Amino acid sequence: MSASAVTPAPTVGRPRAFDMEKALQKALEVFWRKGYEGASLPDLCEAMGINKPSLYAAFGNKEQLFLKTIELYENRPCAFFYPALEHATSYEVVKHMLCGAASTNADPDNPPGCVIVQGALACSESATFVKEALIAKRRAGEVALCTRLEQAKAEGDLPDHSDPAALARYILAVLQGMAVQATSGANCAELKQVAETVLAAWPGKRG
Amino acid sequence: MSASAVTPAPTVGRPRAFDMEKALQKALEVFWRKGYEGASLPDLCEAMGINKPSLYAAFGNKEQLFLKTIELYENRPCAFFYPALEHATSYEVVKHMLCGAASTNADPDNPPGCVIVQGALACSESATFVKEALIAKRRAGEVALCTRLEQAKAEGDLPDHSDPAALARYILAVLQGMAVQATSGANCAELKQVAETVLAAWPGKRG
DNA sequence: AGGAATATTTACCAATCGGTACATTATGGT
DNA sequence: ACCATAATGTACCGATTGGTAAATATTCCT
């Protein structure tokens, strides 16, 4: 995804002096660490290497900037959730989700946790729109996993008595809990133990 | 716990016109719903029915007020975590934790979720102390459960190959994930399904 | 070369933030 | 009745918040 895909590059006028994609990456780091409301405009500008008018011209306002960083977060190379759905068995699907979460949430090169969990969990009224956007993102992940588990049940991968919706909610709860654990200082090995505990009891076929 | 236990009632001077305990309850509601930073002093004052000088005279400042509300949160009648440790088997312990979390996090009479999870998960530097206080609270719960599971292992309740620290981290992750689910709108029945999923696979003896 | 278009810089805006000075009011002790 | 003590209401403080007006700088097009 090039910067010109975010905002069409104009053919005339003074050219932008910064890379929008890199600036978004820096903004993501700030929002990830401090949350939507905890990240101030000076925080963001300093990290992005630009000043406020440039930020507003390029991204709209703080809220739109945040939503764009979330898009980036979900599309970046190390995103693990949606690709995990492609695996052949429900066991492999949840294994890749849980292990991906362990790696990403506790990656020392990134802020701890998950910005979709901690970006706006409890906040003032002025952040309601952002909070609900993140709720929708979490919910979308749960629905996608539920659909995948329904398929697994239809294929005989999961037992007939299993409840895909409940299992999806359970897995999402564990993933979100792992994000909280990571912000509390849990490292990758500790999170992998959580993943292992879940996998050891997974009702689907192995392999 | 009476109000006079919080701050010794003076024998002289104009008497306090509000109930400190009830004011703390109201402050808790605000912090619970909006988080530490998202709750403004006007928000708190309005809910508590007092104005700023009274708040500062009675509770110190915003940070100390928050820490006192957290104490109240952990000690209030519907608190479920530490009492659950007293049950006879590890199965009963985690069952009461998980079911208590389902009830409390999705109680329509209270804000959704858990203030110890969402009070200051990602925030600005000025809230670092509060954030780390909540991390310590969460960690203390995990250590207490770990100790209880070690006892269960020693008693033969949990199998010899089980890892109490990993199990405790897993349960705490689920509890924290349930709090996130509750802030996303999950109801009590949905959270109980998560609890059931965990309990169905619990390695300890039943009953 | 000159103009249209866009980006950058500086300086500013009103609103809100957490926190407090000060005058007033209400109590108990003497 | 009077004083010491403490709580209240009002009105304020400097700092920071998200956001912008206006001037300047850099490009392409003619």
Side-chain angles (χ1 to χ4, degrees), chain A residues 69-165:
Chain A
T69 65
I70 296 302
E71 259 183 72
L72 178 70
Y73 179 78
E74 288 191 304
N75 292 330
R76 79 211 161 102
C78 67
F80 60 88
F81 189 90
Y82 288 103
L85 293 168
E86 307 297 329
H87 287 89
T89 64
S90 69
Y91 181 85
E92 285 294 317
V93 168
V94 296
K95 178 183 166 190
H96 280 84
M97 283 185 179
L98 292 163
C99 292
S103 302
T104 305
N105 287 332
D107 179 354
D109 291 338
N110 279 320
C114 169
V115 70
I116 294 178
V117 170
Q118 70 218 28
L121 198 54
C123 51
S124 73
E125 289 99 344
S126 67
T128 301
F129 184 82
V130 161
K131 175 179 151 189
E132 293 188 346
L134 292 187
I135 290 175
K137 292 278 184 193
R138 297 195 294 263
R139 179 78 190 142
E142 187 180 316
V143 168
L145 178 58
C146 179
T147 301
R148 178 65 186 79
L149 296 183
E150 281 168 352
Q151 177 196 329
K153 183 175 174 180
E155 292 170 352
D157 170 2
L158 284 172
D160 287 343
H161 61 80
S162 59
D163 182 342

Side-chain angles (χ1 to χ4, degrees), chain A residues 159-176:
Chain A
D160 287 343
H161 61 80
S162 59
D163 182 342
L167 286 173
R169 193 179 308 118
Y170 162 67
I171 293 299
L172 264 289
V174 173
L175 292 173
Q176 290 156 8

Side-chain angles (χ1 to χ4, degrees), chain B residues 90-99 145 149 171 199 202:
Chain B
S90 69
Y91 181 85
E92 285 294 317
V93 169
V94 298
K95 178 183 165 187
H96 281 84
M97 284 185 179
L98 293 163
C99 292
L145 178 57
L149 296 183
I171 294 297
L199 290 170
W202 184 250

Side-chain angles (χ1 to χ4, degrees), chain B residues 60-74:
Chain B
N61 61 13
K62 189 187 178 184
E63 181 177 300
Q64 291 168 38
L65 173 63
F66 181 80
L67 297 176
K68 282 178 182 132
T69 65
I70 296 302
E71 260 183 70
L72 178 71
Y73 179 78
E74 287 191 305

